[in-house]
Every structure is written in C-alpha cells, then in structure tokens.
Amino acid sequence: MELQASQNAPPNALEIVQSILKKIDFAKGLVCRCQRDTNPIKDHELRSVVIQLENVINHIGEDLSMIPASTYGDQDFVALAVKALSLEMKKAQFEVGDQSEVQLPKEVVTMEKQSEQVPSETDLYPIDTAAAVLVDNSRLLSGLQLVETLQSASMSSSHMKQRSVSWASTTSSQVAEIIEPMYGTFFCPLTKKIMEDPVTMESGVTYEREAIAEWLKKHENSEQIGCPVTGKKLVSHVLSTNFALKTTIEEWKERNEAARIKVARAALSLASSPEMVLEALKDVQSICQHRSYNKIQVRNIGMIPLLVKFVEYNDRNARCMALDILRQLAEEDEDNKEMVARVVDTAALIKLLSSGHQPTRHSTLQFLLELSQSQSIRESIGSATGAILILITNKYNSLDAFASEKASEILRNLESHPTNIKIMAENGYVEPLLEHLIEGSEEMKLEMASYLEEISLGYDSQNYVAVRAAPSLISMVQSGHGLIRRAAFKALARISSSHPNSKVLVEAGILQIMVEEMFNRHITDDTMNSRVEAASIITNIVESGLDLEKLRVNAHGHTMASDYIVYNFISMMKNSTLDELNTNIVKILLCLTKSPKSTAKIVSVVKETEASYVLIELINNPHEELVVVALQLLIILSSYMGHTLAERLCRTRGLPENLIRSPNELNHVTEKQSISAKFLAKLPHKNVTLNLALLYKDLVPDVLQRIKRLQVSGTRTSRYAIAYLEGLVGILVRFTTTLYEPQLLALARNYNFTSVFTELLMRTTSDEVQRLSAIGLENLSAESAHLSKPPEIKKTKIRKLFHLPKSLSFNFSKRKKLLMCPVHRGACSSRSTFCLIEANAVERLLTCLDHENVEVVESALSALCTLLDDKVDVDKSVDMLSSANAIQHVLNVVKDHRHEGLRQKSFWVIEKFLSKGGDTSASYISQDRLLPSTLVSAFHHGDVTTKQMAERILRHLNKMPYCTTSFYTM
C-alpha cells in the first residue's frame, strides 16, 4: 500500500482528517505485511517496519497540529486534548538498534518532505462542518483505535522501548505555554523559579522576597553588600513589593492554571495510557493545592464525575490519586462535598476498604472521613451495604494503626445519625448505643431503648449490654414518662430473654421493680399496660433456672417461691382478661412447680380459689400459646386433683371434643394438638365420667383416624408428631381401665382394641407408644377369662327322642366343632374376648422383652403374666408359652435388668414354669448358668418379696434345702 504525498498543505479540517486516514491505512498495511509473512521476520526488516511506523505516528501528530482552532468551536478542552496528543505523537520515538543501516522506503521519505513543506497554521480558518460530517466515522474510529493499539504494542514490546516522557512536565506545560506564554521577568534570579512575592531592591532588580532576605542575612557581616545581579553597592536594604509584577504573575498563574485544568480534563477524557492518567491527576492535585479557587474551577468544568470514574481505575496509583483529589475538593467546601457525594458510588468505596493495597485503603478512609463531616451524607454512608461492618473491621485492625484511627473517626461522625448507631450495634459495635442510652437526651434515650428491643445482639455482646444498660433502663422505667417507660420495658424484656443476663438484672434490682409494677402500681397509663411488660420480664428471669427461693421480691423478705407470690399471681390470673398477661402468669406458675413446696401451695390455692375453672376455660382461648401453657400446668395439677379437673372439663362447653378436633386443623401436627392429647391421656384413666364423655362425643373414630394417619405419614413430619401419637394412644388405653361399663366394653369390641394395640407394638419407633400398647393389652387380657365362656350346644329334638346305634346315626359327629381356647377354657377371639393368643400378640410381647427400655419390658411382661394367673388354665398356658420359647426371653430379662419390680415379675413367671412346666421346664431353666448367681444376689440384697421368690426358685432348682422356716426369717 502506497501513501501518496501531497504538494500543498490541506486547506481545511476535512482534508486533514482524510490525510490522517491515509497514513493510518499505510500503517495498517505495514502491520498486515508483517502478519502475512509465513517465515519469521528478520531483524533488519523488523527495524525497517518500526522506523516506518515511527514516522507515520510523527506525521499524524503534525497533521493534528494543523487542524484549525475554529474547528473546535467553544470546546476548548477538545482543542487542548488534540494539541496534547499531537505533541505526544510528534515526539514518539523508538529504539531499534542501529538505525543507520535501515533504508527508509520512498513513500516515507516523501512524507517527511511533505511535512517540512507544510507551514504551521497561525490563523483561524472556517471549516465546512457539513462536509466534515460526511467523513466515514467508522473508518475514523478504527483508525484512531489502531494508532492507540500500535502505541500500546510498541511500549510493551521487548525489542522496542519508548522514551519516557512526563506528560505533566512536557505536554501540559507546553500546551499551557502555547496558551499563556511565560516571561523571563517572572523568574527570580536567585531561585530560578516563578516568584510568589516579588520585591524590588535599590538596584532596581526584582527578587523573591524570601530568597533575597536570606541572601542579605547571609551577607550582613560583609563590609559592602552589592546587588546579586548587578553587583551595585546597596546603600539601603529596603525591599519594596513589586505590585505590578506580582499582579501580572498572579493573573498569569490563574490563566495558566485554568488552561492546565482544561488540558488535564482532556487528558483524563482521552485516558490513552496509565502514565498519562497519573500525570494528569498529579497536575490536578497540585493545582488544587495551590489555590482554593481552582477547586471551584474543577467543579465548574464538570471534572468531578470524571475523577469519580478513576476511583475504580485499574491502576492502583491512579485510584489513590483520584481519591486524594476528591478529598481535596470536598475539604472545606460544602457545595463540592455535596456534588462529590451525589456522584460517587459509596458501594465502590466500601469495596476499596477491603483492598489488599494499603495505600488504597488509607486514601479511601481519608476520603470517607471527609465526606462524613457532612450531616446530610452520613446516612447514605451508613446505609451502604456492609459499610459499617467493614469500618468496624478496620477499627479493630491491630495491624494497621492508621486505618484503625481513621475508621474510628468515621464511625464517630456517623454516630450523629441514630440509624447508623442501630446498624453498628447489629454488627457488634454496641458502645455508641450504650453511650447515648446512658448520657444522651431524653429523645436519644428513647430511640436507643427502642433499638435494643429491635436488634438481635450477638452472644458476646448480650451480657456486656445487660451490665451497662440495666441501671439506665430501670431508671427509665421509674421515671414515669409514658413513652420512655414503654421503650425501657421493651428493651428489658429483650435483654432478659437471654437467660445468662438474668443474674445481672437481678443484681440490678429488677425483680423488686417488676413485682411492684405487678401488684402495687395503680397509675393509669393509656400508652401501655405495665403489668404485661413486667410479667414478661419476670417470666424470662424465673425461666433462666435461678434458685427461686433466693430471689427476693420486696423489703418484707418475700421470695419468688413464697406464698405471697403464688396467691397474688393466681388471683391476678382469675381477674385478668389480657391473654398476654395470663400467658406470662401461667408460665411463672409453671416455673414455680419445679419446687415441691411451691407446687403444694399452687395446688392448695387453686383448690381454694376454684382457679381450676379459669384454667379449664383457657383451653378454649384462641391464643394458642396461652392454651399450651395452661394445658402444661393442668397436666402437672392432674397428679394432685385429676378427678376434679376431669369433672370440670366435662362440664365446660366445647370440651373435651375441642382437645381432639381442631377447627383450623393443619396437615402438620402443632404443639397445641400434642399437648391436648397428652392432657387427656394424663387425666385419671378410671374416671368414668370423662371416658363416657369421650364416647358420647364420638371421639374414638377421630383418635383412631389420627393414629392411622401418623403411621402412614411417619412421625418425622413434625417435631410434635411423636408426642401427639403417644397422647392419642394414651387416650385409647384409658378406655381399657373401665371395661366394666357395658358401653365402654362394646366400644373396645367394636373397634377391636386388641388388634389396634398389637399392631402398635411393632409399628412404632416410640418407646412410650410400645409401653402404652402393652398396658392396653394387659388390661384387655385381664378381662379375657371373664368374657370367654364355653359355647352352648343345643341338641335337636330328633336326638332327644331317638337313641340310634352308631351304625345308624346321622353322622352328627362330622359337624364342625367350635374352636375352644385352651388357656381361657372357652370360645375366644381378639375382638370379643380380647384374647392375646387369637390376636397373635404373644409373639410381639415376647419381642418387647428384649427392649432396652425397662418400662417397655415391664409392661410387656405384665401383659404376658395375665396368661399365667389363676383365672386361666396355667398348665395349657405354660405349654403354649414354652412352645414360643418364652422362658428364654424371661431369663434374658433377669440377666439384663436389675429393676426390682421387673425382677419380681420375672421370678414370678419362672416359678410358674417350674411348678407347672414339669421336668422339661425345670431342666431348661436349670441349664442357665447365670440364673443361680442372680437368684443368690436377689436373695441377699432384694426386698422381702424378692427374697421369698428367689428362695422358692432356688428350692425348685435344688439349690436350697426345704425347711419349715426360711433362713432370712430366723
């Protein structure tokens, strides 16, 4: 590709641009030629290409300098940017080794001659803007991008090293000189620098005041002092300010600095290299430091948004410089500060605080510190995501003292906005909140107390906050001001909800204040009910596990466990209609039941005041938490007054059916459902009134349906599912204790309770369900002997009238015989007589004997014992159990468990097998090697009943002689 040289200078900007594009095309051709070569390019060829590119860049710079100034209109900064780029390109030079050996192509030589012929443009010529618009923009842009690419490549190549030229010292100053030329009179003859305070001596020469004063002082001991420049002897040392020159220099500086600001803006807009950006930023920084008015000029020229962009520049030094300049602009200038705050991205600044580059962090902190001086900006800083957290992290950074100090100052400034204090506390920095709570104004105390109620403090901060805040909050409670009291109550309730804080609060005297609020305060306050808040705080404290006997509540020596407290709380519960207050009162009473003494007093007061009616009524309350705690208290009281509660439950509207049927029943099990079922299961099982009430309300189908649903869905669907299942099974068991009632007997038969309990024995993971099922089977089996009767065989009239010989009989013997239960001596079934054998429950009960839970084992063994009592055919029962290897399971129970009641039942079964099982059972039992030692141990250490049983078994096994009087009774 050849570059045609023109003999005359381009007449207007359009032709200049076209000329530049031709040169760019030529440069592109050089690059393509290097890329097309299949063989590696030789060194001399490479040097030739580099020299040609250097000349192309230089000539493009010449062309740029010839663009008429009128082309830019009023866009002075564009003109300055083009001139700066022109100077850079004209001075571009590359080191390529020995250049003398390189022969320049003809077109390049022609281009050099052409540039020499083009005169520098001194006049302003109008340009045809319409024609300029017609230039192919895409081509122009691609050409400029190529130049930039070539510059970048030339700077990064290992074979080419660009001469380092300072943009600020070369380009900016040169451009400024073109616009505002300097004069020699500006310079001090001594310092060779532009004078700040020019003064004239007697000789008429002007110097910098400081420099000439120092010179005169240095030569004050000389006999004759002459002018440093003229050497003329000085008669007078008076220095007169050269106001004319000083004014001229000041005016020149203003014009020069304004020009430099525009040049820097153009350079930053171009941002062709990090070096150019850094030098431009340095120049802006020095200009702003020199004169405060220059900050206004930087703002007015629209440079602040441009500087903000360089906060996220990829060069770290440029980022720091941009941050420092923005800080300078914001210093002591609220308008600049507001503009910077509007433009800057606070989130980007917060990211810089986590930078691994320490100078970046320091510059960011200094900038944020300056911004935080403004009240209007503090909220936006604090509201930035993670801002306060990062600042707190820097505050406690022991490895960076500077960052710690600046972060602390920023946080201190941010404290003036209450929301920031809240965010600080949420992020673990609670000191500002506590300081304002303790020493702030009433309005600030109110706000800080409300924050304590809202925020969730970390575990490490909770106790510290309790120690610092408790005295102030208690004082606020006693102040009598409605809103402040309310906020203090809420804050104390939140603090007391953390149980480790209870001891601190008690030591601060909170219990006495709260009890007084509950029982003695009569001030009407429309904004709040102090009793509700006080009850909540007392509840939190008594639930923390402190010794209630030692918690004094007044000056009379009463404690939380005293009769005074119990009576007052129960009386208040009877008279209160506030659900929240009643909930906390019941919670307090629940905590008091942990002490036997307090429990006895609660039972006594409940009976005396008929408060049980109130507790039963609370079951129908729509407030679920209140229902749950009321039921929990009733379950405890049922051990002392269960029949009374059962009778009153049946006389209350909607009960007991509401305990099983929930109007808003959900798919998952709730705490209310599980505790309701448990309450019904815990009331005395033999209370016929309640059992009949459950029958009449037709609740048994609901109970069975829910049991089946839980078996299908599993107990992992809810944390309360297992407890709910246990309660439901317990409700079924209660019916088995009152089978003497015909209606309840029919109920057990209709729903085949024997099969239900047998299935529950194996299809559950709950020990309690297995225990209850075994108890249910025991109760049912105890009735089997009574219900099982021999069938009545009705003889036909024909057999009564005629006695035919066997040969002539009608084969009546071939009729189907009725099945008889050998154990119960009658016709049996699992449904009608609750026979364990017919229900196949024996095998499952034997399996339960291998359970680890003693209660499950004992319940299963008790159920099996019903098959060996005197009401049944023991011989047949022993034979049946022997065939099921029952004796081995019982022997295992004796070896594995030391529980006295379980051991007695086991010995009783073994004795039955020895006495009724004959030699076979005796031989099997005697072969157990561990049994004799167990029997001897029981004989020596058991109670009277256990000793007697052990003695009888030992005699059966011939381990002890028969005598009329036992050894242990002698």
Side-chain angles (χ1 to χ4, degrees):
M1 182 183 296
E2 296 184 357
L3 182 66
Q4 299 295 330
S6 176
Q7 299 299 323
N8 300 317
N12 55 40
L14 178 60
E15 293 185 10
I16 293 173
V17 172
Q18 291 173 342
S19 174
I20 291 173
L21 290 174
K22 289 180 181 179
K23 294 180 175 64
I24 291 174
D25 288 339
F26 175 74
K28 290 168 65 177
L30 292 174
V31 176
C32 291
R33 189 177 72 185
C34 295
Q35 293 175 342
R36 282 197 303 268
D37 290 341
T38 56
N39 299 321
I41 189 169
K42 296 180 180 180
D43 291 343
H44 70 278
E45 294 177 349
L46 178 62
R47 285 195 295 272
S48 174
V49 171
V50 170
I51 292 174
Q52 292 178 64
L53 288 174
E54 179 184 287
N55 281 276
V56 170
I57 293 171
N58 294 153
H59 286 87
I60 291 174
E62 293 288 346
D63 287 347
L64 288 173
S65 66
M66 291 188 296
I67 296 176
S70 60
T71 304
Y72 309 112
D74 58 351
Q75 302 294 321
D76 294 340
F77 68 92
V78 178
L80 294 174
V82 172
K83 289 182 180 180
L85 180 62
S86 172
L87 290 171
E88 287 285 336
M89 297 182 73
K90 285 193 291 185
K91 290 180 177 292
Q93 184 176 354
F94 306 95
E95 294 182 5
V96 290
D98 188 5
Q99 300 181 20
S100 61
E101 301 177 1
V102 180
Q103 194 71 25
L104 296 179
K106 178 180 179 181
E107 53 269 33
V108 176
V109 175
T110 305
M111 192 161 39
E112 288 183 355
K113 292 180 180 179
Q114 176 188 354
S115 65
E116 291 175 359
Q117 295 173 359
V118 176
S120 60
E121 187 172 343
T122 56
D123 297 329
L124 299 178
Y125 296 93
I127 63 171
D128 187 355
T129 55
V133 173
L134 296 176
V135 176
D136 186 353
N137 292 329
S138 62
R139 188 181 177 198
L140 176 60
L141 289 173
S142 63
L144 293 174
Q145 290 169 357
L146 175 61
V147 173
E148 186 175 351
T149 303
L150 292 174
Q151 287 178 322
S152 176
S154 65
M155 287 187 288
S156 60
S157 173
S158 58
H159 299 287
M160 295 175 284
K161 182 179 179 182
Q162 185 176 1
R163 184 180 62 189
S164 175
V165 180
S166 171
W167 185 90
S169 60
T170 303
T171 307
S172 180
S173 60
Q174 288 178 358
V175 173
E177 287 177 17
I178 293 171
I179 300 174
E180 296 292 338
M182 290 185 293
Y183 300 93
T185 54
F186 289 179
F187 292 89
C188 173
L190 294 176
T191 63
K192 309 302 182 186
K193 297 179 181 179
I194 297 175
M195 291 179 284
E196 297 287 340
D197 187 8
V199 292
T200 304
M201 300 183 67
E202 181 187 0
S203 61
V205 180
T206 302
Y207 299 91
E208 177 68 52
R209 180 184 294 276
E210 184 178 350
I212 191 61
E214 184 178 349
W215 190 89
L216 291 172
K217 183 178 181 181
K218 182 178 179 180
H219 297 85
E220 63 183 354
N221 295 327
S222 302
E223 294 181 1
Q224 293 182 350
I225 300 177
C227 175
V229 173
T230 63
K232 180 180 177 182
K233 182 179 179 181
L234 299 175
V235 178
S236 171
H237 295 173
V238 175
L239 302 175
S240 302
T241 300
N242 191 335
F243 290 103
L245 181 57
K246 184 175 183 179
T247 302
T248 301
I249 292 174
E250 289 296 331
E251 291 175 352
W252 175 86
K253 283 183 178 181
E254 290 179 7
R255 294 192 302 274
N256 184 62
E257 288 170 352
R260 286 169 62 192
I261 290 173
K262 293 178 181 179
V263 172
R265 185 188 190 283
L268 292 176
S269 299
L270 192 61
S272 61
S273 67
E275 291 79 9
M276 174 181 284
V277 169
L278 193 60
E279 294 300 338
L281 290 172
K282 287 180 180 178
D283 202 36
V284 173
Q285 186 178 39
S286 65
I287 292 170
C288 291
Q289 288 174 342
H290 185 263
R291 194 189 309 271
S292 297
Y293 179 71
N294 290 336
K295 297 180 184 179
I296 300 175
Q297 286 188 305
V298 169
R299 182 189 70 199
N300 292 340
I301 202 175
M303 206 167 178
I304 289 179
L306 187 60
L307 290 169
V308 168
K309 291 182 180 179
F310 286 96
V311 170
E312 300 182 67
Y313 195 60
N314 54 6
D315 185 84
R316 297 186 300 185
N317 294 326
R319 285 202 302 266
C320 293
M321 190 72 68
L323 288 166
D324 291 339
I325 294 171
L326 288 170
R327 175 178 54 81
Q328 284 180 325
L329 294 173
E331 284 176 350
E332 300 176 0
D333 191 323
E334 287 300 320
D335 292 337
N336 280 359
K337 196 171 294 183
E338 292 291 338
M339 178 174 287
V340 170
R342 285 196 302 270
V343 178
V344 74
D345 183 4
T346 310
L349 295 179
I350 301 307
K351 289 180 182 178
L352 293 178
L353 289 179
S354 302
S355 170
H357 187 232
Q358 189 182 68
T360 298
R361 293 200 309 273
H362 288 182
S363 296
T364 306
L365 285 167
Q366 288 178 298
F367 179 40
L368 281 173
L369 178 60
E370 186 58 43
L371 291 180
S372 67
Q373 304 289 342
S374 174
Q375 178 68 29
S376 59
I377 302 174
R378 290 168 188 168
E379 183 180 5
S380 62
I381 296 175
S383 62
T385 303
I388 288 179
L389 176 60
I390 300 299
L391 287 169
I392 293 172
T393 303
N394 278 274
K395 171 182 172 64
Y396 292 109
N397 184 3
S398 58
L399 301 178
D400 192 340
F402 180 84
S404 176
E405 178 186 353
K406 297 303 175 185
S408 298
E409 293 179 18
I410 296 171
L411 289 169
R412 196 173 301 115
N413 290 338
L414 297 182
E415 286 178 23
S416 63
H417 199 281
T419 305
N420 292 336
I421 298 177
K422 179 183 178 182
I423 300 174
M424 291 177 197
E426 289 174 336
N427 287 282
Y429 183 40
V430 297
E431 200 59 40
L433 187 149
L434 295 175
E435 288 178 358
H436 288 84
L437 177 69
I438 296 169
E439 301 175 0
S441 62
E442 282 199 357
E443 291 77 10
M444 187 60 76
K445 287 182 178 181
L446 174 62
E447 198 151 11
M448 296 303 104
S450 64
Y451 288 161
L452 277 178
E453 189 266 333
E454 294 173 11
I455 63 177
S456 297
L457 295 172
Y459 180 79
D460 297 335
S461 304
Q462 289 177 357
N463 194 255
Y464 176 72
V465 170
V467 172
R468 291 286 308 277
S472 296
L473 291 172
I474 291 174
S475 176
M476 291 165 65
V477 166
Q478 295 175 299
S479 67
H481 186 283
L483 292 176
I484 288 183
R485 273 170 51 81
R486 179 184 179 86
F489 268 117
K490 295 286 186 182
L492 285 170
R494 186 58 181 266
I495 293 172
S496 64
S497 65
S498 176
H499 290 168
N501 296 335
S502 296
K503 186 177 180 181
V504 173
L505 295 173
V506 169
E507 291 173 353
I510 194 171
L511 266 182
Q512 291 88 332
I513 305 299
M514 296 301 110
V515 169
E516 183 180 357
E517 290 285 338
M518 292 286 293
F519 302 147
N520 302 327
R521 191 176 181 89
H522 301 291
I523 297 177
T524 302
D525 191 341
D526 294 334
T527 62
M528 65 172 294
N529 189 322
S530 61
R531 285 195 176 96
V532 174
E533 306 298 339
S536 174
I537 295 169
I538 295 174
T539 301
N540 290 336
I541 291 174
V542 298
E543 285 181 341
S544 67
L546 296 177
D547 188 353
L548 303 183
E549 295 281 355
K550 298 179 180 179
L551 298 181
R552 297 187 60 177
V553 297
N554 55 30
H556 302 293
H558 294 138
T559 66
M560 277 302 301
S562 64
D563 296 350
Y564 166 79
I565 289 293
V566 173
Y567 186 85
N568 277 281
F569 274 126
I570 292 177
S571 299
M572 185 174 290
M573 179 186 68
K574 287 184 61 180
N575 299 317
S576 173
T577 58
L578 298 173
D579 291 344
E580 189 176 356
L581 177 59
N582 284 333
T583 300
N584 286 312
I585 290 175
V586 176
K587 285 182 178 180
I588 294 169
L589 293 174
L590 274 172
C591 292
L592 292 175
T593 58
K594 295 176 183 177
S595 166
K597 180 180 176 182
S598 299
T599 303
K601 185 60 181 176
I602 291 172
V603 173
S604 174
V605 175
V606 168
K607 289 180 178 179
E608 177 186 342
T609 61
E610 299 292 332
S612 58
Y613 283 110
V614 177
L615 289 171
I616 295 294
E617 284 290 344
L618 291 178
I619 296 176
N620 288 324
N621 193 287
H623 191 239
E624 185 166 333
E625 186 182 9
L626 176 55
V627 175
V628 169
V629 295
L631 286 169
Q632 288 173 341
L633 182 58
L634 286 168
I635 289 172
I636 295 173
L637 295 178
S638 65
S639 300
Y640 303 92
M641 47 187 301
H643 287 285
T644 302
L645 295 177
E647 298 293 332
R648 291 176 179 174
L649 180 72
C650 295
R651 290 199 294 267
T652 303
R653 186 180 60 181
L655 297 176
E657 60 268 25
N658 286 348
L659 291 170
I660 300 297
R661 297 172 184 153
S662 176
N664 300 317
E665 190 169 345
L666 303 174
N667 292 329
H668 65 278
V669 180
T670 64
E671 185 180 11
K672 178 184 175 182
Q673 288 176 302
S674 67
I675 202 71
S676 298
K678 183 179 179 180
F679 174 54
L680 285 175
K682 289 294 182 180
L683 287 171
H685 285 187
K686 295 185 178 181
N687 189 282
V688 180
T689 304
L690 178 57
N691 290 349
L692 289 174
L694 293 170
L695 172 65
Y696 295 151
K697 299 292 185 179
D698 198 23
L699 294 175
V700 175
D702 294 285
V703 172
L704 291 171
Q705 181 185 5
R706 283 158 174 75
I707 290 175
K708 185 176 181 180
R709 189 171 63 195
L710 286 171
Q711 287 179 318
V712 172
S713 62
T715 54
R716 295 184 179 181
T717 55
S718 169
R719 57 184 294 191
Y720 305 109
I722 292 179
Y724 188 42
L725 177 61
E726 292 170 355
L728 293 172
V729 175
I731 293 172
L732 291 182
V733 171
R734 68 178 303 112
F735 294 111
T736 65
T737 62
T738 53
L739 294 174
Y740 53 83
E741 281 288 333
Q743 293 170 302
L744 298 177
L745 177 62
L747 174 73
R749 284 173 167 172
N750 289 338
Y751 292 104
N752 199 355
F753 276 13
T754 312
S755 297
V756 171
F757 288 130
T758 301
E759 186 178 1
L760 284 169
L761 272 178
M762 304 307 295
R763 291 190 58 187
T764 183
T765 57
S766 168
D767 293 352
E768 180 65 12
V769 170
Q770 286 185 309
R771 186 187 73 85
L772 291 169
S773 300
I775 291 174
L777 289 173
E778 177 190 0
N779 295 337
L780 292 170
S781 180
E783 300 295 324
S784 295
H786 170 69
L787 298 173
S788 179
K789 296 180 180 179
E792 295 182 2
I793 302 175
K794 296 182 180 179
K795 296 181 179 180
T796 61
K797 293 181 179 180
I798 296 176
R799 291 197 66 174
K800 288 182 180 180
L801 296 175
F802 303 100
H803 297 280
L804 298 177
K806 291 183 179 180
S807 59
L808 299 177
S809 66
F810 295 101
N811 293 326
F812 287 106
S813 61
K814 292 183 180 180
R815 288 184 179 182
K816 186 176 180 180
K817 296 181 179 179
L818 294 173
L819 295 177
M820 301 285 290
C821 176
V823 176
H824 297 115
R825 304 187 189 97
C828 279
S829 70
S830 63
R831 179 183 293 271
S832 61
T833 64
F834 317 129
C835 180
L836 299 183
I837 301 168
E838 291 296 326
N840 296 321
V842 174
E843 227 177 281
R844 300 189 180 188
L845 288 169
L846 290 174
T847 303
C848 290
L849 294 183
D850 298 329
H851 205 286
E852 294 179 355
N853 190 312
V854 174
E855 294 181 349
V856 174
V857 175
E858 186 173 5
S859 300
L861 190 56
S862 297
L864 290 169
C865 287
T866 59
L867 299 175
L868 294 171
D869 61 18
D870 296 335
K871 299 177 183 178
V872 303
D873 190 330
V874 179
D875 293 333
K876 297 292 179 61
S877 183
V878 168
D879 291 341
M880 182 271 298
L881 292 173
S882 296
S883 64
N885 200 23
I887 191 60
Q888 185 58 56
H889 289 282
V890 177
L891 291 173
N892 291 338
V893 171
V894 173
K895 289 184 292 185
D896 296 339
H897 301 283
R898 297 292 182 268
H899 186 265
E900 198 72 21
L902 182 57
R903 180 170 285 184
Q904 289 177 6
K905 285 186 175 66
S906 303
F907 287 170
W908 185 83
V909 173
I910 292 172
E911 188 177 357
K912 287 287 184 180
F913 271 81
L914 288 171
S915 61
K916 300 294 183 179
D919 295 338
T920 303
S921 296
S923 175
Y924 188 87
I925 293 171
S926 63
Q927 290 177 6
D928 191 293
R929 297 180 179 181
L930 296 178
L931 180 61
S933 60
T934 304
L935 291 169
V936 171
S937 175
F939 180 73
H940 287 301
H941 305 292
D943 60 17
V944 175
T945 304
T946 305
K947 286 182 178 182
Q948 290 175 349
M949 289 181 170
E951 179 184 4
R952 288 196 296 268
I953 297 173
L954 287 170
R955 284 176 180 166
H956 276 292
L957 298 176
N958 294 323
K959 301 293 183 180
M960 180 176 283
Y962 284 91
C963 57
T964 57
T965 306
S966 296
F967 174 77
Y968 64 84
T969 61
M970 294 174 59

